[in-house]
């Protein structure tokens, strides 16, 4: 199991605390420092069953500068969204846990973290 975190994020700290409390084995990826490639983002999106706009933090300054709220949300624009996430990792929703069964969850709630823990 791997968790993508921003240590400054309270939701990330809560998720890590719950993983620790449950004795989970996991790897921490500080994704702002160890930026995921476009291919890694595609893989996580596949595991999540989501599209890039579903995990984009559209209120961030970079999102506003790029005008992401006006970008199309369709197959033809998917690669552009993924490129934006790779170039501006702060736009990636957090935390994301990749579970042992090959799936992933956006773990912003305790229930989502527990869901990831239950996936074997």
């Amino acid at each position: 199991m791997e968790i993508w975190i921003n240590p400054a994020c309270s939701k990330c700290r809560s998720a890590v605390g719950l993983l620790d409390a449950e004795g989970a084995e996991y790897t921490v990826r500080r994704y702002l420092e160890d930026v995921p490639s476009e291919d890694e983002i595609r893989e996580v999106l596949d595991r999540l069953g989501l599209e890039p706009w579903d995990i984009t933090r559209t209120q961030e300054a970079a999102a506003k500068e790029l005008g992401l709220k006006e970008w199309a949300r369709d197959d033809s624009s998917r690669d552009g969204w993924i490129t934006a996430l790779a170039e501006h990792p702060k736009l990636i929703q957090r935390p994301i846990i990749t579970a042992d069964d090959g799936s992933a969850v956006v773990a912003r709630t305790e229930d989502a973290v527990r869901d990831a823990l239950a996936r074997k």
Side-chain angles (χ1 to χ4, degrees):
M1 189 173 359
E2 181 175 78
I3 182 169
W4 291 9
I5 68 162
N6 172 353
C9 168
S10 63
K11 300 278 188 193
C12 293
R13 291 191 307 270
S14 294
V16 167
L18 182 55
L19 291 175
D20 288 343
E22 294 294 325
E25 292 185 27
Y26 63 95
T27 303
V28 170
R29 180 171 186 170
R30 294 178 179 216
Y31 71 94
L32 297 179
E33 299 163 17
D34 182 8
V35 178
S37 68
E38 290 184 24
D39 285 341
E40 288 175 305
I41 292 169
R42 280 186 190 88
E43 179 187 342
V44 163
L45 288 166
D46 288 346
R47 292 174 78 166
L48 288 165
L50 297 174
E51 294 296 337
W53 45 85
D54 296 325
I55 65 162
T56 301
R57 299 171 56 83
T58 57
Q59 297 304 313
E60 292 287 338
K64 292 177 181 176
E65 288 172 22
L66 293 168
L68 286 181
K69 283 193 173 183
E70 286 77 44
W71 285 23
R73 296 176 182 215
D74 56 27
D75 285 345
S76 66
S77 61
R78 189 173 199 266
D79 286 342
W81 281 86
I82 291 169
T83 298
L85 292 174
E87 291 177 356
H88 307 276
K90 196 168 188 178
L91 296 176
I92 300 171
Q93 188 59 266
R94 64 202 181 233
I96 293 175
I97 297 176
T98 55
D100 293 338
D101 71 350
S103 65
V105 296
V106 178
R108 295 190 56 77
T109 66
E110 184 176 319
D111 286 344
V113 176
R114 290 192 185 286
D115 181 39
L117 285 167
R119 297 175 185 212
K120 304 237 186 259

mmCIF file of all heavy atoms in Angstrom, residues 33-67:
data_model
loop_
_atom_site.group_PDB
_atom_site.id
_atom_site.type_symbol
_atom_site.label_atom_id
_atom_site.label_comp_id
_atom_site.label_asym_id
_atom_site.label_seq_id
_atom_site.Cartn_x
_atom_site.Cartn_y
_atom_site.Cartn_z
ATOM 1 N N GLU A 33 7.178 16.491 -3.749
ATOM 2 C CA GLU A 33 8.632 16.348 -3.903
ATOM 3 C C GLU A 33 8.973 15.247 -4.901
ATOM 4 O O GLU A 33 9.882 15.379 -5.704
ATOM 5 C CB GLU A 33 9.269 16.034 -2.546
ATOM 6 C CG GLU A 33 9.054 17.116 -1.507
ATOM 7 C CD GLU A 33 9.305 16.630 -0.090
ATOM 8 O OE1 GLU A 33 9.943 15.582 0.090
ATOM 9 O OE2 GLU A 33 8.854 17.318 0.847
ATOM 10 N N ASP A 34 8.263 14.131 -4.810
ATOM 11 C CA ASP A 34 8.443 12.986 -5.698
ATOM 12 C C ASP A 34 7.248 12.981 -6.649
ATOM 13 O O ASP A 34 6.297 12.226 -6.490
ATOM 14 C CB ASP A 34 8.512 11.697 -4.866
ATOM 15 C CG ASP A 34 8.748 10.457 -5.713
ATOM 16 O OD1 ASP A 34 9.018 10.586 -6.923
ATOM 17 O OD2 ASP A 34 8.654 9.350 -5.145
ATOM 18 N N VAL A 35 7.314 13.873 -7.634
ATOM 19 C CA VAL A 35 6.169 14.162 -8.500
ATOM 20 C C VAL A 35 5.863 12.960 -9.403
ATOM 21 O O VAL A 35 6.751 12.441 -10.070
ATOM 22 C CB VAL A 35 6.446 15.415 -9.358
ATOM 23 C CG1 VAL A 35 5.290 15.699 -10.302
ATOM 24 C CG2 VAL A 35 6.718 16.618 -8.458
ATOM 25 N N PRO A 36 4.596 12.525 -9.404
ATOM 26 C CA PRO A 36 4.226 11.405 -10.270
ATOM 27 C C PRO A 36 4.286 11.801 -11.747
ATOM 28 O O PRO A 36 3.949 12.924 -12.119
ATOM 29 C CB PRO A 36 2.796 11.068 -9.856
ATOM 30 C CG PRO A 36 2.336 12.159 -8.971
ATOM 31 C CD PRO A 36 3.499 12.996 -8.582
ATOM 32 N N SER A 37 4.721 10.846 -12.553
ATOM 33 C CA SER A 37 4.757 11.057 -14.004
ATOM 34 C C SER A 37 3.329 10.988 -14.558
ATOM 35 O O SER A 37 2.400 10.554 -13.875
ATOM 36 C CB SER A 37 5.615 9.980 -14.671
ATOM 37 O OG SER A 37 4.970 8.718 -14.555
ATOM 38 N N GLU A 38 3.194 11.371 -15.811
ATOM 39 C CA GLU A 38 1.883 11.264 -16.453
ATOM 40 C C GLU A 38 1.409 9.815 -16.449
ATOM 41 O O GLU A 38 0.231 9.544 -16.217
ATOM 42 C CB GLU A 38 1.934 11.837 -17.870
ATOM 43 C CG GLU A 38 2.085 13.345 -17.886
ATOM 44 C CD GLU A 38 2.039 13.949 -19.278
ATOM 45 O OE1 GLU A 38 1.450 13.327 -20.195
ATOM 46 O OE2 GLU A 38 2.591 15.046 -19.447
ATOM 47 N N ASP A 39 2.328 8.874 -16.707
ATOM 48 C CA ASP A 39 1.937 7.459 -16.709
ATOM 49 C C ASP A 39 1.495 7.003 -15.322
ATOM 50 O O ASP A 39 0.539 6.234 -15.196
ATOM 51 C CB ASP A 39 3.085 6.582 -17.218
ATOM 52 C CG ASP A 39 3.266 6.683 -18.731
ATOM 53 O OD1 ASP A 39 2.321 7.120 -19.428
ATOM 54 O OD2 ASP A 39 4.353 6.309 -19.210
ATOM 55 N N GLU A 40 2.175 7.468 -14.277
ATOM 56 C CA GLU A 40 1.773 7.105 -12.918
ATOM 57 C C GLU A 40 0.394 7.681 -12.592
ATOM 58 O O GLU A 40 -0.418 7.027 -11.939
ATOM 59 C CB GLU A 40 2.803 7.595 -11.899
ATOM 60 C CG GLU A 40 4.091 6.813 -11.924
ATOM 61 C CD GLU A 40 5.136 7.397 -11.001
ATOM 62 O OE1 GLU A 40 5.458 8.597 -11.115
ATOM 63 O OE2 GLU A 40 5.639 6.642 -10.146
ATOM 64 N N ILE A 41 0.130 8.889 -13.049
ATOM 65 C CA ILE A 41 -1.182 9.499 -12.827
ATOM 66 C C ILE A 41 -2.254 8.699 -13.563
ATOM 67 O O ILE A 41 -3.317 8.420 -13.005
ATOM 68 C CB ILE A 41 -1.177 10.987 -13.243
ATOM 69 C CG1 ILE A 41 -0.278 11.783 -12.283
ATOM 70 C CG2 ILE A 41 -2.600 11.551 -13.262
ATOM 71 C CD1 ILE A 41 0.017 13.200 -12.734
ATOM 72 N N ARG A 42 -1.965 8.299 -14.796
ATOM 73 C CA ARG A 42 -2.923 7.468 -15.547
ATOM 74 C C ARG A 42 -3.207 6.165 -14.803
ATOM 75 O O ARG A 42 -4.357 5.734 -14.708
ATOM 76 C CB ARG A 42 -2.379 7.154 -16.943
ATOM 77 C CG ARG A 42 -2.548 8.256 -17.934
ATOM 78 C CD ARG A 42 -2.127 7.820 -19.344
ATOM 79 N NE ARG A 42 -2.093 8.990 -20.200
ATOM 80 C CZ ARG A 42 -1.032 9.784 -20.340
ATOM 81 N NH1 ARG A 42 0.093 9.509 -19.720
ATOM 82 N NH2 ARG A 42 -1.100 10.844 -21.122
ATOM 83 N N GLU A 43 -2.159 5.535 -14.282
ATOM 84 C CA GLU A 43 -2.332 4.274 -13.556
ATOM 85 C C GLU A 43 -3.204 4.473 -12.315
ATOM 86 O O GLU A 43 -4.119 3.686 -12.059
ATOM 87 C CB GLU A 43 -0.977 3.699 -13.142
ATOM 88 C CG GLU A 43 -1.114 2.402 -12.372
ATOM 89 C CD GLU A 43 0.199 1.888 -11.792
ATOM 90 O OE1 GLU A 43 1.275 2.313 -12.246
ATOM 91 O OE2 GLU A 43 0.121 1.066 -10.869
ATOM 92 N N VAL A 44 -2.943 5.532 -11.564
ATOM 93 C CA VAL A 44 -3.746 5.791 -10.365
ATOM 94 C C VAL A 44 -5.190 6.101 -10.745
ATOM 95 O O VAL A 44 -6.123 5.647 -10.079
ATOM 96 C CB VAL A 44 -3.113 6.908 -9.502
ATOM 97 C CG1 VAL A 44 -4.096 7.475 -8.498
ATOM 98 C CG2 VAL A 44 -1.886 6.367 -8.773
ATOM 99 N N LEU A 45 -5.391 6.853 -11.812
ATOM 100 C CA LEU A 45 -6.759 7.133 -12.268
ATOM 101 C C LEU A 45 -7.488 5.846 -12.625
ATOM 102 O O LEU A 45 -8.655 5.673 -12.272
ATOM 103 C CB LEU A 45 -6.749 8.094 -13.456
ATOM 104 C CG LEU A 45 -6.397 9.540 -13.137
ATOM 105 C CD1 LEU A 45 -6.096 10.314 -14.412
ATOM 106 C CD2 LEU A 45 -7.510 10.203 -12.345
ATOM 107 N N ASP A 46 -6.779 4.932 -13.313
ATOM 108 C CA ASP A 46 -7.385 3.635 -13.646
ATOM 109 C C ASP A 46 -7.748 2.882 -12.375
ATOM 110 O O ASP A 46 -8.830 2.297 -12.280
ATOM 111 C CB ASP A 46 -6.435 2.791 -14.500
ATOM 112 C CG ASP A 46 -6.291 3.310 -15.920
ATOM 113 O OD1 ASP A 46 -7.108 4.157 -16.341
ATOM 114 O OD2 ASP A 46 -5.344 2.876 -16.608
ATOM 115 N N ARG A 47 -6.849 2.900 -11.395
ATOM 116 C CA ARG A 47 -7.097 2.194 -10.134
ATOM 117 C C ARG A 47 -8.257 2.827 -9.362
ATOM 118 O O ARG A 47 -9.018 2.139 -8.687
ATOM 119 C CB ARG A 47 -5.827 2.180 -9.278
ATOM 120 C CG ARG A 47 -4.735 1.306 -9.896
ATOM 121 C CD ARG A 47 -3.440 1.389 -9.145
ATOM 122 N NE ARG A 47 -3.516 0.564 -7.931
ATOM 123 C CZ ARG A 47 -2.469 0.234 -7.218
ATOM 124 N NH1 ARG A 47 -1.253 0.639 -7.562
ATOM 125 N NH2 ARG A 47 -2.614 -0.508 -6.135
ATOM 126 N N LEU A 48 -8.366 4.155 -9.459
ATOM 127 C CA LEU A 48 -9.457 4.870 -8.790
ATOM 128 C C LEU A 48 -10.786 4.708 -9.527
ATOM 129 O O LEU A 48 -11.852 4.845 -8.930
ATOM 130 C CB LEU A 48 -9.145 6.368 -8.696
ATOM 131 C CG LEU A 48 -8.073 6.804 -7.715
ATOM 132 C CD1 LEU A 48 -7.642 8.242 -8.000
ATOM 133 C CD2 LEU A 48 -8.585 6.674 -6.281
ATOM 134 N N GLY A 49 -10.709 4.477 -10.846
ATOM 135 C CA GLY A 49 -11.919 4.468 -11.665
ATOM 136 C C GLY A 49 -12.460 5.872 -11.863
ATOM 137 O O GLY A 49 -13.667 6.072 -12.006
ATOM 138 N N LEU A 50 -11.546 6.849 -11.891
ATOM 139 C CA LEU A 50 -11.929 8.255 -12.017
ATOM 140 C C LEU A 50 -11.235 8.893 -13.209
ATOM 141 O O LEU A 50 -10.308 8.325 -13.786
ATOM 142 C CB LEU A 50 -11.557 9.029 -10.748
ATOM 143 C CG LEU A 50 -12.249 8.612 -9.454
ATOM 144 C CD1 LEU A 50 -11.662 9.363 -8.263
ATOM 145 C CD2 LEU A 50 -13.750 8.850 -9.545
ATOM 146 N N GLU A 51 -11.672 10.084 -13.543
ATOM 147 C CA GLU A 51 -11.063 10.894 -14.587
ATOM 148 C C GLU A 51 -10.186 11.963 -13.922
ATOM 149 O O GLU A 51 -10.374 12.270 -12.747
ATOM 150 C CB GLU A 51 -12.147 11.558 -15.457
ATOM 151 C CG GLU A 51 -12.961 10.570 -16.260
ATOM 152 C CD GLU A 51 -12.134 9.817 -17.296
ATOM 153 O OE1 GLU A 51 -11.063 10.310 -17.712
ATOM 154 O OE2 GLU A 51 -12.562 8.709 -17.681
ATOM 155 N N PRO A 52 -9.238 12.548 -14.668
ATOM 156 C CA PRO A 52 -8.328 13.511 -14.040
ATOM 157 C C PRO A 52 -9.037 14.718 -13.424
ATOM 158 O O PRO A 52 -8.626 15.212 -12.367
ATOM 159 C CB PRO A 52 -7.390 13.930 -15.176
ATOM 160 C CG PRO A 52 -8.012 13.443 -16.432
ATOM 161 C CD PRO A 52 -8.917 12.311 -16.066
ATOM 162 N N TRP A 53 -10.118 15.161 -14.026
ATOM 163 C CA TRP A 53 -10.837 16.301 -13.469
ATOM 164 C C TRP A 53 -11.525 15.940 -12.150
ATOM 165 O O TRP A 53 -11.820 16.814 -11.345
ATOM 166 C CB TRP A 53 -11.833 16.871 -14.468
ATOM 167 C CG TRP A 53 -12.654 15.846 -15.178
ATOM 168 C CD1 TRP A 53 -13.812 15.268 -14.740
ATOM 169 C CD2 TRP A 53 -12.350 15.236 -16.436
ATOM 170 N NE1 TRP A 53 -14.256 14.343 -15.655
ATOM 171 C CE2 TRP A 53 -13.382 14.307 -16.716
ATOM 172 C CE3 TRP A 53 -11.324 15.390 -17.365
ATOM 173 C CZ2 TRP A 53 -13.421 13.546 -17.873
ATOM 174 C CZ3 TRP A 53 -11.361 14.622 -18.518
ATOM 175 C CH2 TRP A 53 -12.393 13.714 -18.758
ATOM 176 N N ASP A 54 -11.727 14.654 -11.912
ATOM 177 C CA ASP A 54 -12.341 14.215 -10.651
ATOM 178 C C ASP A 54 -11.382 14.336 -9.469
ATOM 179 O O ASP A 54 -11.826 14.363 -8.319
ATOM 180 C CB ASP A 54 -12.801 12.751 -10.748
ATOM 181 C CG ASP A 54 -13.892 12.539 -11.780
ATOM 182 O OD1 ASP A 54 -14.739 13.439 -11.954
ATOM 183 O OD2 ASP A 54 -13.898 11.462 -12.402
ATOM 184 N N ILE A 55 -10.066 14.352 -9.735
ATOM 185 C CA ILE A 55 -9.090 14.445 -8.648
ATOM 186 C C ILE A 55 -8.306 15.757 -8.695
ATOM 187 O O ILE A 55 -7.236 15.879 -8.119
ATOM 188 C CB ILE A 55 -8.113 13.243 -8.639
ATOM 189 C CG1 ILE A 55 -7.244 13.211 -9.883
ATOM 190 C CG2 ILE A 55 -8.871 11.931 -8.444
ATOM 191 C CD1 ILE A 55 -5.992 12.344 -9.743
ATOM 192 N N THR A 56 -8.854 16.742 -9.394
ATOM 193 C CA THR A 56 -8.182 18.033 -9.528
ATOM 194 C C THR A 56 -8.730 19.031 -8.516
ATOM 195 O O THR A 56 -9.944 19.188 -8.391
ATOM 196 C CB THR A 56 -8.348 18.591 -10.956
ATOM 197 O OG1 THR A 56 -7.785 17.664 -11.890
ATOM 198 C CG2 THR A 56 -7.654 19.938 -11.109
ATOM 199 N N ARG A 57 -7.811 19.667 -7.825
ATOM 200 C CA ARG A 57 -8.170 20.706 -6.846
ATOM 201 C C ARG A 57 -8.333 22.024 -7.616
ATOM 202 O O ARG A 57 -7.370 22.758 -7.820
ATOM 203 C CB ARG A 57 -7.095 20.801 -5.773
ATOM 204 C CG ARG A 57 -6.930 19.507 -4.983
ATOM 205 C CD ARG A 57 -5.722 19.534 -4.066
ATOM 206 N NE ARG A 57 -5.738 20.653 -3.155
ATOM 207 C CZ ARG A 57 -6.404 20.697 -1.994
ATOM 208 N NH1 ARG A 57 -7.090 19.643 -1.595
ATOM 209 N NH2 ARG A 57 -6.359 21.757 -1.225
ATOM 210 N N THR A 58 -9.550 22.307 -8.027
ATOM 211 C CA THR A 58 -9.796 23.445 -8.921
ATOM 212 C C THR A 58 -9.754 24.803 -8.216
ATOM 213 O O THR A 58 -9.778 25.828 -8.884
ATOM 214 C CB THR A 58 -11.144 23.291 -9.651
ATOM 215 O OG1 THR A 58 -12.184 23.159 -8.687
ATOM 216 C CG2 THR A 58 -11.140 22.077 -10.569
ATOM 217 N N GLN A 59 -9.674 24.800 -6.889
ATOM 218 C CA GLN A 59 -9.601 26.074 -6.170
ATOM 219 C C GLN A 59 -8.161 26.555 -5.969
ATOM 220 O O GLN A 59 -7.944 27.666 -5.484
ATOM 221 C CB GLN A 59 -10.300 25.964 -4.808
ATOM 222 C CG GLN A 59 -11.783 25.665 -4.905
ATOM 223 C CD GLN A 59 -12.528 26.691 -5.747
ATOM 224 O OE1 GLN A 59 -12.350 27.890 -5.576
ATOM 225 N NE2 GLN A 59 -13.338 26.225 -6.676
ATOM 226 N N GLU A 60 -7.186 25.732 -6.318
ATOM 227 C CA GLU A 60 -5.781 26.122 -6.184
ATOM 228 C C GLU A 60 -5.450 27.256 -7.151
ATOM 229 O O GLU A 60 -6.048 27.368 -8.228
ATOM 230 C CB GLU A 60 -4.858 24.928 -6.470
ATOM 231 C CG GLU A 60 -4.913 23.824 -5.448
ATOM 232 C CD GLU A 60 -4.245 24.188 -4.130
ATOM 233 O OE1 GLU A 60 -3.387 25.089 -4.099
ATOM 234 O OE2 GLU A 60 -4.601 23.550 -3.122
ATOM 235 N N ALA A 61 -4.470 28.069 -6.791
ATOM 236 C CA ALA A 61 -4.070 29.200 -7.630
ATOM 237 C C ALA A 61 -3.668 28.744 -9.032
ATOM 238 O O ALA A 61 -4.045 29.367 -10.026
ATOM 239 C CB ALA A 61 -2.924 29.964 -6.969
ATOM 240 N N ALA A 62 -2.918 27.653 -9.115
ATOM 241 C CA ALA A 62 -2.481 27.162 -10.435
ATOM 242 C C ALA A 62 -3.677 26.783 -11.305
ATOM 243 O O ALA A 62 -3.663 27.011 -12.521
ATOM 244 C CB ALA A 62 -1.543 25.965 -10.272
ATOM 245 N N ALA A 63 -4.706 26.218 -10.701
ATOM 246 C CA ALA A 63 -5.908 25.848 -11.458
ATOM 247 C C ALA A 63 -6.586 27.094 -12.014
ATOM 248 O O ALA A 63 -7.056 27.098 -13.157
ATOM 249 C CB ALA A 63 -6.874 25.062 -10.579
ATOM 250 N N LYS A 64 -6.635 28.129 -11.202
ATOM 251 C CA LYS A 64 -7.253 29.384 -11.656
ATOM 252 C C LYS A 64 -6.425 30.014 -12.767
ATOM 253 O O LYS A 64 -6.971 30.513 -13.752
ATOM 254 C CB LYS A 64 -7.436 30.321 -10.478
ATOM 255 C CG LYS A 64 -8.482 29.795 -9.498
ATOM 256 C CD LYS A 64 -8.627 30.663 -8.274
ATOM 257 C CE LYS A 64 -9.673 30.045 -7.349
ATOM 258 N NZ LYS A 64 -9.814 30.765 -6.099
ATOM 259 N N GLU A 65 -5.089 29.980 -12.611
ATOM 260 C CA GLU A 65 -4.214 30.542 -13.640
ATOM 261 C C GLU A 65 -4.375 29.797 -14.967
ATOM 262 O O GLU A 65 -4.347 30.402 -16.035
ATOM 263 C CB GLU A 65 -2.746 30.460 -13.195
ATOM 264 C CG GLU A 65 -2.386 31.433 -12.092
ATOM 265 C CD GLU A 65 -0.988 31.193 -11.544
ATOM 266 O OE1 GLU A 65 -0.147 30.587 -12.252
ATOM 267 O OE2 GLU A 65 -0.728 31.610 -10.403
ATOM 268 N N LEU A 66 -4.531 28.479 -14.893
ATOM 269 C CA LEU A 66 -4.698 27.667 -16.101
ATOM 270 C C LEU A 66 -6.116 27.737 -16.663
ATOM 271 O O LEU A 66 -6.354 27.318 -17.792
ATOM 272 C CB LEU A 66 -4.369 26.201 -15.801
ATOM 273 C CG LEU A 66 -2.914 25.885 -15.461
ATOM 274 C CD1 LEU A 66 -2.789 24.472 -14.910
ATOM 275 C CD2 LEU A 66 -2.029 26.064 -16.690
ATOM 276 N N GLY A 67 -7.061 28.247 -15.868
ATOM 277 C CA GLY A 67 -8.454 28.301 -16.299
ATOM 278 C C GLY A 67 -9.108 26.939 -16.363
ATOM 279 O O GLY A 67 -9.980 26.688 -17.204
#
